[in-house]
Amino acid sequence: METLGSFSLSDLLRLSRPVTGTASLNPASSPPLKRIKLDQNLLLNPSLSRKSFTPISLPVLLVGTVNFFSEASSHRTGSCLNHCLSFSDSSATICCYIVDFDPRVIGQEIHVMAWNYLPIKQGEGQGVLEIIQWRFSSPDTAPLRGFSLSLESAQDSGVKASSFAFGLVKSVSLTFTLPIENGKTGEMGDSVGFLAELLTCMCDKCAKMRPSNEKSGLHRFTESKVVYFIRPTHKWRPVVAKLVGKVMYLWGLKKRLVVVGKESYVMLVSTIKTKVSLCDSVVSDLPTDHSKRGAYRGIVTGIYLHGAVIELDKKVWLLIHDTLLVPHHSLRIGATVSVRDFHFVHANFAWTKVIIVGTCVMTSFCIDSFAVSDTKVLVKTEEKSALGTFVESLNLSAKFWILLSVSCFKYKFRAVLSDKELLGSINSAGLVQTYSSRSLPPDVFRPHNSMFMAYCNHDQCTYSSGHDQSKCKLIVPLSNFVGRCEELWISIQSEMSESDEVHCNNTCDGISYPGYRRRIIPSDDFGCILMGNIQACSSSGRLQLVDATGNIDVVIPDLPSDLSVQTIYEVKDYKVVLEGFGIEGDNSMYEFGEPLSCHAIFKRQTYRKRIHGLMLYVQFYLKDSVCLASPSRAPSNLPHSENHGPNHLLVISHKFPLTNKFPFNSAMSICSSLFAEALIFPCKFKRSENGELIQLGKFQDALDFSKRDHKKASEKGPWLAPCSLASRNGGVSATTLCQFNVDSSNYMVSKSLARILLEFKCENFFSYQMLRIGGYYFLNCSEGFNPTRVCKCWEKGGSFVVTGNTLQSLSLSFSDDVNQKEPSGTSSDELVLLKSLSELHEIVDLKSVSQGITKLLPPSQVLSVSSCLQHMFHQNRNLYGSTDLGEQRLAQGDLISVCGDVEYFHDNDCDSVSLTASKCLKIPNPRGNNICIHLADDNQMVVIRGNLSRKLFPIGFGVGASATFHRLLLTCSSNRKEKLLLTPVTYIEITSVRKVKTNRGPNQQMFKVDSLIESLCHLPPLGLFSDLHNKDSKVTRFCCRILTLNVLVLESCMIGSSPAYKIPLAGFVLDDGSALCNCWTDNDLASTLLSLRDICSSFFSSDFSSLERAPKRLLASGLCHCSDDYSNYKNTVGYYLDHILKKHHKVIVKNHGVSLDICQDLLFHSGSGKVFSILEERLLNYIILSSCHGPTFIATGLVMDASATKQFDAYISESAVLRGCMQNIWIREVACVDPLKDAFNLILDLKNG
Amino acid sequence: MATGWSSRMTHAKLLAAEVLSVTVYPTSPPSFSIPRRSPSSISRAEILGIVVSLESKPKFVKFLLDDGTGCVPCILWLHPLLPPSDNDPTPELLRLQARTVRLGEELRVRGRITLYRAQLQITVADVFVEKDPNMETFHRLDCLRLAKRSYHLHKDAFTST
């Protein structure tokens, strides 16, 4: 027969690791016991982690006696006092907890057949034995009688205790200590004990302590009595707590009046003669009229904050009542627990709804089964901190919120704040407490009573109030917030695909690109508060809100220069922007697991940004945020520290964007420095001790130092421009009056401003972000003031490394700041990312004095899209182009600044021009995408192309963004079309973003088309030649092509010394598909229709051998110059016409053919009477035939009456008259067909017609 | 639409399906009219489509132009009917145009509607390469406008179109 091993508890303690053992699965068998020594060798798998239970390889049995802990026991904790019994053998005593508890076990030796042992780390030689199955050592030792408790040693004492009680145990309080004063003797002391409430029966038999055992139904347990078990009976608490719901007898009690404060209570108090026994024959259920209290049984799925918060079944949150209450040793994840007499609320927080169960003094709590995986024993210090007291003064939902906040704060700021700074100490409040007391509404606080009072006055308990806590917002860890945003983005995508939403695809050059989406979500929709430090990211250069869990890009329109990067800011009012192209593929591959759930927060689940195509950022105003705390251990590096050195006045002329040097490693800092260009004013200022600004040296002196030729200006007499300057830092609002001696010539003074380069190292990217193009700043000068020497800062071409406190923004503004587009910001669909400079600066009315200062500044021209197009149109194309530099071509042109709304942008890898430009301009990012940006204003649109990595996009860049592009290259492509190119120095400033609406149902779509058509209504509808005879004489637009020529008159003229031509008259036959029409025009329009300015390389190409030598022949015949300046012009038809006309002075071409198919009947008349050469006739034929093969165009013209056409009679041949019966119109304007606009115009025409 | 001579010389803007469904009158040369439209005859058309088939010969280029409603056979003769004089660049220009006819190219073609072996075709007068695909939409709408306004398309026919 197999033997059972038995070992001593000291072996178990010595092992000091979680162990589990069992005797046999069959409790009936009782094999012989064999004493063994437990060591590592007996463990089934000793190499297992010490964090999990290790089974013993042998069947083992523990033999010991269960009893109460003696009062002298040194290693008892609060938990043991309330919940634990002792288990001891001859070698040691440990805590024990019995699942199937039988009160008769007290004082008896038992065999433990299935058990877990857990060492308690708090003290040496401590542990807890979880008894799963047990039996009395032998049937002989089993108590024959029922359960009873008494203090045997005191039964013979002379204490009089005649009171008794018989009733149903309703609830049992925790053990507590109460300072008492004996009413008779006046002695002070501490009373340790617990309270038990009994519901007693008032029947006569019960009153005489002779209850009827036979008919329990006769008893009505309704009368409440409180029994106060004081020392030494207080140690019975673990057993009495197990008797809740059972009927028991109590003898040997005393009736006492207990006075607490102004309240007095009559209660039964235990004595040393008290005896407790169960009345098994009387059974009664506890009354169920406790509407606010109930029972819950569930599995522990999480234990947080040292057991203060317990998650049951992943849905119920159990809050342990008092921080002094140490939970069971056996309360571990996986255990099944029963809770009885608790309070619960459905709390509606701003971001979620939770079910909270709160224990109170009456709650009974027991473990129904032990956890098998988790071995972490909860140990809690019994020191009560100020925060603990504060937490206990709150109602349940507020208490839950603050516990959650504790978790958040610790999670977020563990790296920058110490525990003491966060949680406070016994006497002082930490950040969590000060923040919470400020944030919580006053109605969440409840009076805090001692446990005695709380128990006695439990009917007035207000614990369950305050279910609506919508004002309580989550102080969200930023990584969880990012996870939530991504989750939201995926759900937006899913909703769109489910609703079959029409994707707003855009086209460019006929290619369709996917739609762009943007959502602007207000903070109220999240129910979260953002908190963290504001820093500039060293890799992206962007401003970020940072905590220990993660970061999120932020945009702060009112970003000041005195922002402390060490300060923790609380942002309640913000807007989250989610934007990007639609995600392709299956959305279900993204699983987020509710990032804002309390489970995720308590468990500190981390999230990383996973959706690469999503641009996510938060916009908020600093004025709406609260500065919470600066960590004490952070170095003091405030940028606005007092500076009494001299300052220069700067205006920022340009900011150079970030460039990606290391595109293959996103973790690496992609830029070591950032740069800005500034114009520096040639004078210095100093702040006096009382905050005033004092000008050091005069402007005129500075000009002298610069040794520039300004004498002429001085002779004119400089005029004074008083200027009031005020620094935003240091709280100075009014300062001294400075005087600039300003030349009345703008140019002179502008030239005298020195241009310097500001360099920002990684640690000062924040200062770079703070800078605004066109903004004024003070630059702290490293040199002292020396009136005899020019400051180095002012040397042209100089550079300056900006450190933390080098730059200070100035509240200098001008009322005529017109270049910045004023974002409306009033629309709910529009989000301001950048305030205009005039809006940003808050002080100084410089209207009266600004003229002087503005004259100092070079005009910064930011063009609107319409102005840009005009500018492009008026520029001389010949100035642009490209220059060959070896193998590469360098684009040439002007740098301009343009503002407008980004209508669309997309990758564009097939644009050869921009590829060439980016290549030759040496854009350092080889992986940067070739992108095409459609920038529009209310009327026009331009396309900007260039190379730009998506990683370097400024925040907010996307469809619907209002952007200013500084230093775009306006150049000309090979087909002489003006182009706007991004360059490596192009800085993109995003002023605001709008929602991109893609939710277009059929009606909305029609509306959109209608509105677009309406916007084009200013275009008159296209007319038809066939309708001309029905129409009044008015200007009409026709969509037509040239069919043939009627007549062409060419005359020579001279422009300067160069020969030129003019076209006094040209008559064409136009065909619009409805009829033919004689159309007349002259000069420029005729030249356009004949394409005389076009390069006719095809005509003179080598394919036409007969004409290849044409230029040479012309040269030989003296018709042509030989000049290098004509490199482009000499390839045009017009060039050869010039020389034909030099010979003939005037040429008239008439079409005598009746047929319109061929041009063989053209007759040429020479004004000089000379004969046309074959080549000349051939060229003229070519001109006319080519024009007949030209594109469709829009001609705007006026119907001519008969008298008007008479003047052309001399030119019109008879055959033309034969072809006649056609209307005549005079063409006023010729334009290319804009297929989109004109198509919309046709739709409108068809709809109305 | 204009009538008589002007009508015959005008290039009616049509969709391929309309060209292929014209009614042929056995005159010499044959004349054509568009069904369900005004009875005036047409002889020339302008169509816009993509080259989907191409056959190049020394004397001509034959190609199929597809505009989504049908495929119209087109023929571009590389030699004029009459022998060219020295001062006439027409042959070079025709060859130049023939070089623009490439598979996949979007072309606007004008020419006479002719019959060859009882099949309709366009004898091309000129071709123009359209670079902007939106021109196709514009052409369709223009065809619709002309059909409604000038070719007097019957109301029921317009609705069905």
Side-chain angles (χ1 to χ4, degrees):
Chain A
M1 191 178 192
E2 192 181 6
T3 56
L4 268 175
S6 171
F7 51 85
S8 66
L9 287 180
S10 56
D11 288 352
L12 211 52
L13 288 171
R14 206 178 303 118
L15 210 57
S16 188
R17 64 179 295 163
V19 182
T20 179
T22 180
S24 167
L25 294 176
N26 180 11
S29 65
S30 51
L33 280 178
K34 182 188 175 187
R35 195 77 182 173
I36 58 170
K37 184 170 175 60
L38 184 65
D39 57 20
Q40 298 276 354
N41 298 328
L42 291 178
L43 299 180
L44 194 62
N45 198 349
S47 60
L48 273 178
S49 162
R50 285 180 170 269
K51 290 182 178 175
S52 58
F53 283 106
T54 310
I56 294 173
S57 56
L58 301 172
V60 287
L61 192 70
L62 278 173
V63 180
T65 305
V66 177
N67 215 327
F68 297 112
F69 273 108
S70 67
E71 205 169 339
S73 177
S74 59
H75 57 266
R76 296 179 63 190
T77 63
S79 172
C80 310
L81 204 63
N82 284 297
H83 310 296
C84 294
L85 296 167
S86 73
F87 183 83
S88 52
D89 63 4
S90 56
S91 64
T93 300
I94 57 174
C95 290
C96 78
Y97 193 87
I98 306 170
V99 170
D100 54 343
F101 181 75
D102 182 344
R104 296 178 301 166
V105 79
I106 300 296
Q108 303 295 323
E109 186 184 75
I110 60 168
H111 285 179
V112 183
M113 296 178 316
W115 49 270
N116 299 326
Y117 169 76
L118 280 164
I120 300 175
K121 289 179 182 174
Q122 192 182 37
E124 290 297 322
Q126 285 194 41
V128 60
L129 186 71
E130 293 177 343
I131 299 172
I132 301 162
Q133 198 174 51
W134 63 279
R135 68 181 179 211
F136 291 107
S137 297
S138 66
D140 303 337
T141 59
L144 298 173
R145 292 183 302 157
F147 157 73
S148 72
L149 283 177
S150 61
L151 299 169
E152 293 170 5
S153 59
Q155 290 303 312
D156 299 331
S157 69
V159 175
K160 291 181 179 177
S162 55
S163 295
F164 64 90
F166 167 72
L168 184 66
V169 183
K170 185 182 170 189
S171 63
V172 178
S173 82
L174 296 165
T175 308
F176 58 92
T177 303
L178 192 70
I180 58 165
E181 179 186 358
N182 192 313
K184 291 179 181 173
T185 63
E187 288 178 2
M188 297 292 291
D190 281 343
S191 168
V192 180
F194 66 93
L195 297 168
E197 184 182 5
L198 265 64
L199 296 176
T200 58
C201 177
M202 297 304 290
C203 69
D204 293 341
K205 287 185 177 178
C206 290
K208 294 173 184 174
M209 205 53 196
R210 289 172 187 167
S212 166
N213 289 349
E214 292 78 21
K215 293 182 180 177
S216 59
L218 295 175
H219 297 285
R220 292 173 61 87
F221 298 105
T222 52
E223 186 68 18
S224 176
K225 281 186 179 177
V226 175
V227 182
Y228 188 12
F229 289 86
I230 58 170
R231 185 183 283 148
T233 56
H234 70 286
K235 63 183 180 183
W236 294 350
R237 201 269 170 192
V239 173
V240 177
K242 297 271 188 183
L243 303 180
V244 172
K246 294 185 175 172
V247 179
M248 71 178 184
Y249 294 105
L250 288 113
W251 294 276
L253 302 172
K254 279 185 178 179
K255 194 175 275 186
R256 285 280 184 271
L257 182 70
V258 179
V259 181
V260 181
K262 294 177 181 176
E263 302 286 333
S264 60
Y265 307 93
V266 175
M267 57 179 57
L268 299 167
V269 181
S270 68
T271 65
I272 54 173
K273 292 179 76 173
T274 299
K275 191 177 175 186
V276 177
S277 67
L278 274 179
C279 178
D280 294 328
S281 57
V282 180
V283 180
S284 178
D285 291 330
L286 281 170
T288 55
D289 58 343
H290 309 131
S291 58
K292 293 177 183 174
R293 295 191 278 176
Y296 187 86
R297 188 165 189 259
I299 297 171
V300 178
T301 49
I303 300 173
Y304 309 103
L305 298 177
H306 302 289
V309 183
I310 293 161
E311 186 187 35
L312 298 176
D313 299 329
K314 292 190 173 176
K315 62 182 178 186
V316 174
W317 294 93
L318 176 67
L319 300 187
I320 301 298
H321 163 250
D322 196 291
T323 50
L324 273 179
L325 168 63
V326 180
H328 285 268
H329 297 313
S330 301
L331 181 62
R332 303 192 308 277
I333 295 172
T336 307
V337 298
S338 292
V339 194
R340 192 183 177 88
D341 287 346
F342 54 76
H343 302 272
F344 72 94
V345 290
H346 289 275
N348 295 331
F349 292 111
W351 79 99
T352 189
K353 293 178 182 177
V354 289
I355 301 169
I356 303 171
V357 168
T359 63
C360 67
V361 286
M362 307 194 91
T363 303
S364 68
F365 186 93
C366 64
I367 307 290
D368 293 342
S369 72
F370 300 117
V372 291
S373 55
D374 185 22
T375 60
K376 191 178 176 186
V377 179
L378 288 172
V379 177
K380 201 170 180 181
T381 57
E382 296 189 17
E383 278 189 353
K384 197 165 187 174
S385 66
L387 180 61
T389 311
F390 178 74
V391 169
E392 288 309 317
S393 68
L394 301 171
N395 67 23
L396 265 186
S397 41
K399 184 178 171 182
F400 181 77
W401 176 81
I402 197 171
L403 290 170
L404 198 64
S405 300
V406 167
S407 188
C408 290
F409 269 95
K410 286 180 78 172
Y411 191 22
K412 285 165 71 75
F413 303 117
R414 60 193 166 190
V416 291
L417 293 173
S418 66
D419 272 2
K420 193 178 176 186
E421 284 173 309
L422 276 173
L423 307 177
S425 60
I426 296 174
N427 299 317
S428 63
L431 177 61
V432 178
Q433 188 175 340
T434 50
Y435 174 78
S436 306
S437 54
R438 181 167 53 80
S439 306
L440 287 170
D443 62 341
V444 302
F445 294 93
R446 64 188 187 92
H448 183 62
N449 289 325
S450 67
M451 200 172 285
F452 187 92
M453 292 285 285
Y455 193 88
C456 296
N457 300 327
H458 189 261
D459 290 342
Q460 287 90 48
C461 179
T462 55
Y463 223 5
S464 59
S465 65
H467 59 279
D468 184 19
Q469 297 295 337
S470 54
K471 288 178 183 172
C472 289
K473 296 183 176 181
L474 176 68
I475 302 150
V476 62
L478 292 179
S479 83
N480 295 59
F481 190 70
V482 170
R484 172 61 185 149
C485 290
E486 292 201 324
E487 187 185 41
L488 214 54
W489 182 245
I490 293 294
S491 68
I492 289 168
Q493 308 276 339
S494 303
E495 279 171 20
M496 285 179 173
S497 54
E498 279 172 16
S499 61
D500 295 329
E501 185 172 311
V502 181
H503 284 219
C504 183
N505 286 346
N506 294 58
T507 57
C508 178
D509 290 340
I511 300 168
S512 179
Y513 294 96
Y516 193 84
R517 292 163 184 168
R518 175 181 288 121
R519 288 285 188 278
I520 301 171
I521 305 167
S523 47
D524 287 345
D525 289 6
F526 285 94
C528 298
I529 292 170
L530 301 180
M531 217 177 261
N533 303 102
I534 297 169
Q535 294 174 2
C537 175
S538 60
S539 62
S540 68
R542 293 173 173 175
L543 277 186
Q544 291 183 328
L545 195 69
V546 180
D547 68 8
T549 68
N551 55 60
I552 190 166
D553 290 342
V554 295
V555 181
I556 307 169
D558 59 345
L559 184 69
S561 64
D562 56 349
L563 184 80
S564 166
V565 293
Q566 306 294 345
T567 304
I568 295 169
Y569 288 89
E570 178 203 12
V571 186
K572 280 183 179 170
D573 192 7
Y574 56 87
K575 284 184 174 146
V576 177
V577 185
L578 306 171
E579 61 187 49
F581 293 97
I583 297 172
E584 291 180 2
D586 187 12
N587 290 342
S588 61
M589 62 184 282
Y590 296 99
E591 274 297 328
F592 294 95
E594 299 184 36
L596 297 192
S597 67
C598 301
H599 175 82
I601 301 293
F602 276 123
K603 207 167 183 183
R604 301 185 179 180
Q605 285 177 354
T606 53
Y607 296 84
R608 289 187 183 280
K609 194 169 182 295
R610 291 192 291 168
I611 307 173
H612 296 298
L614 168 66
M615 188 179 267
L616 161 66
Y617 55 93
V618 176
Q619 181 260 20
F620 62 88
Y621 287 90
L622 215 59
K623 65 179 169 61
D624 298 332
S625 63
V626 179
C627 172
L628 277 188
S630 293
S632 57
R633 61 187 173 207
S636 175
N637 184 27
L638 299 178
H640 56 283
S641 58
E642 281 301 318
N643 169 45
H644 295 296
N647 295 298
H648 291 293
L649 180 62
L650 292 179
V651 59
I652 301 298
S653 53
H654 189 66
K655 286 170 77 174
F656 295 97
L658 195 74
T659 52
N660 193 349
K661 291 178 183 169
F662 306 104
F664 300 106
N665 187 355
S666 59
M668 193 182 289
S669 173
I670 57 172
C671 183
S672 57
S673 287
L674 286 167
F675 297 92
E677 182 190 85
L679 296 172
I680 185 165
F681 284 71
C683 48
K684 288 185 178 181
F685 301 88
K686 185 178 178 181
R687 184 173 302 163
S688 66
E689 287 180 2
N690 59 5
E692 287 185 338
L693 286 170
I694 303 165
Q695 186 186 354
L696 303 175
K698 290 190 176 177
F699 183 78
Q700 194 61 44
D701 298 336
L703 284 178
D704 287 337
F705 299 151
S706 70
K707 296 177 181 172
R708 288 190 174 83
D709 182 15
H710 63 282
K711 285 181 183 174
K712 200 174 174 183
S714 304
E715 284 167 10
K716 286 182 182 174
W719 52 279
L720 303 179
C723 168
S724 171
L725 299 175
S727 167
R728 296 187 72 189
N729 309 313
V732 185
S733 57
T735 54
T736 189
L737 201 68
C738 306
Q739 290 185 333
F740 288 107
N741 294 341
V742 182
D743 178 19
S744 55
S745 156
N746 301 342
Y747 180 66
M748 181 74 190
V749 179
S750 295
K751 267 180 73 179
S752 66
L753 296 179
R755 193 179 296 265
I756 65 163
L757 197 65
L758 301 174
E759 182 178 358
F760 302 83
K761 299 287 185 190
C762 278
E763 60 274 17
N764 289 307
F765 280 1
F766 169 78
S767 300
Y768 170 85
Q769 292 291 352
M770 175 266 294
L771 286 190
R772 296 282 303 278
I773 294 175
Y776 292 83
Y777 301 88
F778 266 146
L779 176 72
N780 294 343
C781 182
S782 55
E783 299 179 30
F785 176 64
N786 186 344
T788 62
R789 201 161 58 84
V790 179
C791 175
K792 278 185 181 174
C793 306
W794 199 51
E795 287 176 356
K796 274 199 170 180
S799 66
F800 200 96
V801 178
V802 177
T803 58
N805 57 354
T806 308
L807 283 173
Q808 298 171 46
S809 71
L810 270 182
S811 293
L812 188 63
S813 66
F814 305 104
S815 54
D816 56 348
D817 182 12
V818 292
N819 291 324
Q820 292 288 332
K821 190 184 175 186
E822 200 75 33
S824 60
T826 51
S827 162
S828 61
D829 289 348
E830 187 170 15
L831 192 63
V832 175
L833 302 188
L834 210 59
K835 282 182 143 190
S836 72
L837 284 172
S838 57
E839 198 180 352
L840 187 64
H841 297 312
E842 54 194 25
I843 342 171
V844 192
D845 176 17
L846 284 175
K847 269 188 181 175
S848 57
V849 296
S850 63
Q851 286 182 345
I853 299 295
T854 40
K855 287 193 172 188
L856 283 169
L857 305 178
S860 61
Q861 289 183 335
V862 179
L863 303 171
S864 67
V865 172
S866 300
S867 314
C868 174
L869 281 171
Q870 284 179 4
H871 184 75
M872 289 163 80
F873 184 75
H874 290 298
Q875 287 300 310
N876 187 347
R877 295 178 184 187
N878 292 331
L879 291 178
Y880 299 148
S882 59
T883 299
D884 289 328
L885 288 177
E887 294 178 353
Q888 295 181 331
R889 293 169 68 239
L890 180 65
Q892 288 184 323
D894 287 345
L895 289 175
I896 61 168
S897 298
V898 186
C899 67
D901 296 329
V902 178
E903 280 211 333
Y904 194 65
F905 77 99
H906 57 87
D907 288 340
N908 181 24
D909 288 329
C910 52
D911 188 84
S912 58
V913 174
S914 50
L915 273 176
T916 309
S918 61
K919 196 177 165 188
C920 67
L921 290 169
K922 297 187 189 307
I923 291 177
N925 178 11
R927 288 179 117 189
N929 295 329
N930 212 5
I931 66 163
C932 174
I933 303 161
H934 300 204
L935 193 72
D937 63 4
D938 294 338
N939 305 311
Q940 304 284 355
M941 189 190 80
V942 288
V943 173
I944 301 166
R945 296 174 198 271
N947 207 326
L948 188 63
S949 165
R950 284 183 187 265
K951 283 180 186 172
L952 303 180
F953 282 176
I955 290 181
F957 182 82
V959 179
S962 180
T964 304
F965 291 76
H966 294 277
R967 297 196 179 175
L968 284 172
L969 182 68
L970 173 58
T971 187
C972 207
S973 60
S974 57
N975 58 358
R976 302 178 61 75
K977 219 173 173 182
E978 294 85 355
K979 289 215 165 192
L980 284 174
L981 295 182
L982 293 169
T983 71
V985 298
T986 302
Y987 183 78
I988 307 171
E989 215 173 43
I990 307 296
T991 318
S992 64
V993 293
R994 289 192 319 273
K995 272 185 186 175
V996 180
K997 290 176 182 172
T998 57
N999 193 5
R1000 293 186 295 160
N1003 293 333
Q1004 286 171 298
Q1005 195 172 13
M1006 279 308 292
F1007 173 75
K1008 191 172 174 66
V1009 173
D1010 282 351
S1011 62
L1012 181 54
I1013 289 171
E1014 280 164 17
S1015 71
L1016 295 166
C1017 272
H1018 64 277
L1019 286 174
L1022 290 170
L1024 292 174
F1025 291 149
S1026 57
D1027 291 345
L1028 279 179
H1029 58 276
N1030 301 327
K1031 289 212 169 186
D1032 299 332
S1033 176
K1034 66 174 185 179
V1035 176
T1036 314
R1037 298 166 74 243
F1038 303 97
C1039 174
C1040 51
R1041 291 179 74 187
I1042 297 172
L1043 187 64
T1044 190
L1045 177 101
N1046 268 336
V1047 66
L1048 176 65
V1049 181
L1050 300 160
E1051 284 181 5
S1052 69
C1053 64
M1054 296 294 285
I1055 297 176
S1057 59
S1058 304
Y1061 62 86
K1062 63 180 181 180
I1063 308 172
L1065 184 68
F1068 298 93
V1069 177
L1070 300 186
D1071 178 2
D1072 74 343
S1074 71
L1076 304 182
C1077 182
N1078 286 323
C1079 298
W1080 305 91
T1081 188
D1082 58 6
N1083 292 323
D1084 282 347
L1085 291 182
S1087 181
T1088 304
L1089 289 176
L1090 291 167
S1091 307
L1092 296 185
R1093 295 190 191 94
D1094 285 2
I1095 295 171
C1096 57
S1097 56
S1098 58
F1099 182 68
F1100 296 110
S1101 69
S1102 57
D1103 290 341
F1104 301 94
S1105 55
S1106 61
L1107 294 166
E1108 192 180 7
R1109 295 181 300 279
K1112 291 180 183 173
R1113 284 195 202 171
L1114 287 168
L1115 282 170
S1117 63
L1119 292 174
C1120 179
H1121 290 255
C1122 181
S1123 170
D1124 292 338
D1125 297 336
Y1126 281 74
S1127 57
N1128 287 323
Y1129 182 58
K1130 72 180 182 181
N1131 286 330
T1132 63
V1133 177
Y1135 168 76
Y1136 296 103
L1137 266 186
D1138 286 347
H1139 296 284
I1140 291 173
L1141 287 168
K1142 194 177 177 185
K1143 177 181 168 189
H1144 298 282
H1145 305 307
K1146 184 174 183 178
V1147 174
I1148 300 172
V1149 185
K1150 289 184 183 179
N1151 188 353
H1152 286 264
V1154 176
S1155 168
L1156 294 165
D1157 290 342
I1158 50 177
C1159 291
Q1160 284 187 334
D1161 292 331
L1162 295 177
L1163 286 183
F1164 304 101
H1165 304 275
S1166 170
S1168 64
K1170 292 180 181 175
V1171 178
F1172 285 93
S1173 69
I1174 289 174
L1175 192 65
E1176 288 166 349
E1177 285 190 358
R1178 193 177 171 82
L1179 180 70
L1180 290 168
N1181 269 324
Y1182 170 80
I1183 291 169
I1184 291 156
L1185 278 173
S1186 292
S1187 67
C1188 297
H1189 295 166
T1192 308
F1193 59 91
I1194 304 290
T1196 307
L1198 192 68
V1199 178
M1200 299 168 73
D1201 56 23
S1203 59
T1205 52
K1206 266 193 173 180
Q1207 55 182 318
F1208 306 140
D1209 283 351
Y1211 295 108
I1212 298 176
S1213 65
E1214 290 175 359
S1215 55
V1217 175
L1218 283 174
R1219 292 194 301 269
C1221 303
M1222 292 183 288
Q1223 295 288 326
N1224 289 277
I1225 61 170
W1226 181 262
I1227 296 177
R1228 288 184 171 183
E1229 196 178 312
V1230 173
C1232 295
V1233 174
D1234 183 333
L1236 279 180
K1237 277 190 176 178
D1238 288 318
F1240 278 122
N1241 206 23
L1242 284 182
I1243 290 172
L1244 186 68
D1245 191 17
L1246 288 166
K1247 194 181 165 197
N1248 294 339
Chain B
M1 190 167 181
T3 54
W5 186 87
S6 176
S7 165
R8 289 195 302 276
M9 298 305 289
T10 305
H11 292 87
K13 291 182 184 175
L14 298 175
L15 301 176
E18 293 172 321
V19 173
L20 297 172
S21 63
V22 293
T23 309
V24 184
Y25 295 102
T27 55
S28 180
S31 57
F32 309 93
S33 72
I34 312 167
R36 295 181 295 175
R37 298 195 185 172
S38 61
S40 59
S41 63
I42 58 166
S43 63
R44 293 156 195 267
E46 178 174 315
I47 58 173
L48 190 148
I50 290 172
V51 181
V52 293
S53 164
L54 180 64
E55 182 189 356
S56 293
K57 298 285 183 188
K59 290 187 176 177
F60 61 84
V61 175
K62 268 183 93 168
F63 56 98
L64 273 177
L65 211 58
D66 183 351
D67 71 350
T69 66
C71 290
V72 180
C74 302
I75 184 163
L76 172 64
W77 292 99
L78 298 179
H79 298 289
L81 294 175
L82 299 173
S85 57
D86 288 345
N87 63 0
D88 186 4
T90 305
E92 282 83 0
L93 281 171
L94 286 173
R95 282 169 58 188
L96 197 65
Q97 292 211 354
R99 288 177 60 185
T100 64
V101 180
R102 285 180 294 192
L103 278 177
E105 201 78 73
E106 186 162 42
L107 299 182
R108 184 184 289 274
V109 168
R110 284 194 299 194
R112 285 181 294 115
I113 304 172
T114 53
L115 277 175
Y116 177 66
R117 291 181 181 172
Q119 271 205 335
L120 282 161
Q121 66 175 17
I122 301 274
T123 303
V124 178
D126 64 72
V127 294
F128 182 81
V129 180
E130 291 288 3
K131 292 290 183 190
D132 189 342
N134 292 313
M135 268 298 186
E136 193 176 331
T137 308
F138 177 73
H139 175 75
R140 282 198 173 202
L141 288 165
D142 205 17
C143 289
L144 204 60
R145 177 181 71 118
L146 284 161
K148 192 178 175 187
R149 298 272 165 78
S150 184
Y151 309 150
H152 305 297
L153 180 69
H154 294 171
K155 194 175 179 183
D156 54 340
F158 179 69
T159 310
S160 64
T161 305

